[in-house]
Amino acid sequence: MLHMDTLDQRIISRLVADARASFADIGAAVGLSAPAVKRRVDKLLDLGVLQGFTAVVDPEALGWGTEAFVEVHCHGNVPAHRIRGGLEPLPEVVAAYTVSGQADAIVHMRAADIHHLETAMERLRAVDFVNRTVSTVVLSRLLDRPPPADRA
Amino acid sequence: MLHMDTLDQRIISRLVADARASFADIGAAVGLSAPAVKRRVDKLLDLGVLQGFTAVVDPEALGWGTEAFVEVHCHGNVPAHRIRGGLEPLPEVVAAYTVSGQADAIVHMRAADIHHLETAMERLRAVDFVNRTVSTVVLSRLLDRPPPADRA
DNA sequence: CGTGAAAGTACAACCGA
DNA sequence: TCGGTTGTACTTTCACG
């Protein structure tokens, strides 16, 4: 599946640090010409290793300053794709995972404030397969960063 | 807390969708010239509303296919910045939050596989202020997306 | 993978509402 | 202070070696 060498990893690392860096700058950093970098980036996009480029926005500044993690416990056995389908319409859900342990899923939610979070969680609890939720409100964000380019 | 109008939100929305979009393309979408868009983006970067631009990488492809959420319970009262300092050196920690409830912090970890996750959690438990951890392993990622540009 | 040329883009200085 | 226009340097992108 992967012909991913050290050069690709260094290119990815540079793009994670700055997605708007020019191919020429990246090339200078990794020792390649700009077209060579572009060919590798295009290949990585095609393979799905790179999924795209995005802006990092301060949620506070956009009015999404309150977040919470919610354990979702379902009625009986609900397949993952059905959980996904139930959560996808809720705009406050920024991430969701099926998990091992007592809970069936962990849902990461963002809202404007506590009141908005409350109404969003009411909508979450109203989803048909949801039985019980256990929510944990975030007080402060300590860290938020991409994983290292090369594994330890 | 500053003057962010509809134009800024639409520009941010476009950059979240594609951080490498040209100012000319963004301008065509929002009805502004390229330099006008650049001036607004520079201002948003300066204000910290936009924090930067990054590549979206598939963690699987990079060899970080296993993730977990870990509740951290501390010895006594540990200030947030000290928790941050203790977690920051662990490369497997991709995000961390102080939270309300029984736990003191929630830590989001990524590792190459279950064994790597185990060794990373041993290192986490070895951090001086950590008393107890409760870990929840992710089985599948259902959703992972940015919050909407305008609040509901 | 590098080179070079054509088209497109970024950026700063300048002008007008 | 906002946006538009212009000119210059740089980037992207392609065909070719």
Side-chain angles (χ1 to χ4, degrees), chain A residues 15-16 19-21 49 51-56 58 84 88 90 93-98 100 137 139-140 142-143 145, chain B residues 15-16 19-21 49 51-56 58 84 88 90 93-98 100 137 139-140 142-143 145:
Chain A
L15 284 170
V16 167
R20 286 183 78 88
V49 175
Q51 301 184 330
F53 305 98
T54 190
V56 180
D58 179 12
R84 205 206 102 96
E88 201 271 338
L90 300 176
V93 174
V94 294
Y97 313 84
T98 56
S100 70
V137 176
L139 298 177
S140 71
L142 302 174
L143 274 177
R145 62 183 180 191
Chain B
L15 284 170
V16 168
R20 285 184 76 88
V49 175
Q51 302 185 331
F53 306 98
T54 189
V56 181
D58 178 12
R84 205 208 103 96
E88 201 272 338
L90 300 175
V93 173
V94 294
Y97 313 84
T98 56
S100 70
V137 176
L139 298 176
S140 71
L142 302 173
L143 275 176
R145 63 184 179 188

Side-chain angles (χ1 to χ4, degrees), chain A residues 31 70 83 117 123 133:
Chain A
V70 183
I83 299 181
L117 185 64
R123 272 179 279 129
T133 62

Side-chain angles (χ1 to χ4, degrees), chain A residues 50-107:
Chain A
L50 282 172
Q51 301 184 330
F53 305 98
T54 190
V56 180
V57 180
D58 179 12
E60 299 265 352
L62 267 183
W64 296 82
T66 303
E67 55 190 313
F69 289 94
V70 183
E71 287 183 15
V72 173
H73 301 252
C74 297
H75 292 295
N77 273 9
V78 181
H81 67 86
R82 210 176 135 225
I83 299 181
R84 205 206 102 96
L87 298 177
E88 201 271 338
L90 300 176
E92 293 85 1
V93 174
V94 294
Y97 313 84
T98 56
V99 295
S100 70
Q102 299 93 335
D104 293 300
I106 286 183
V107 175

Side-chain angles (χ1 to χ4, degrees), chain B residues 20 33 35-36 39-40:
Chain B
R20 285 184 76 88
S33 69
R39 282 190 289 257
R40 280 172 178 261

Side-chain angles (χ1 to χ4, degrees), chain B residues 25-118:
Chain B
D25 281 353
I26 297 169
V30 306
L32 246 51
S33 69
V37 173
K38 185 203 183 306
R39 282 190 289 257
R40 280 172 178 261
V41 170
D42 286 345
K43 191 191 64 186
L44 292 168
L45 284 166
D46 201 51
L47 290 172
V49 175
L50 283 172
Q51 302 185 331
F53 306 98
T54 189
V56 181
V57 181
D58 178 12
E60 300 266 352
L62 268 182
W64 295 83
T66 304
E67 55 189 314
F69 289 94
V70 183
E71 286 182 15
V72 172
H73 301 252
C74 297
H75 292 295
N77 273 9
V78 181
H81 67 86
R82 207 174 139 228
I83 300 180
R84 205 208 103 96
L87 297 177
E88 201 272 338
L90 300 175
E92 294 85 1
V93 173
V94 294
Y97 313 84
T98 56
V99 295
S100 70
Q102 299 92 335
D104 294 299
I106 287 183
V107 176
H108 185 183
M109 303 185 82
R110 266 199 231 277
D113 49 44
I114 288 285
H115 178 251
H116 180 192
L117 185 63
E118 187 179 17

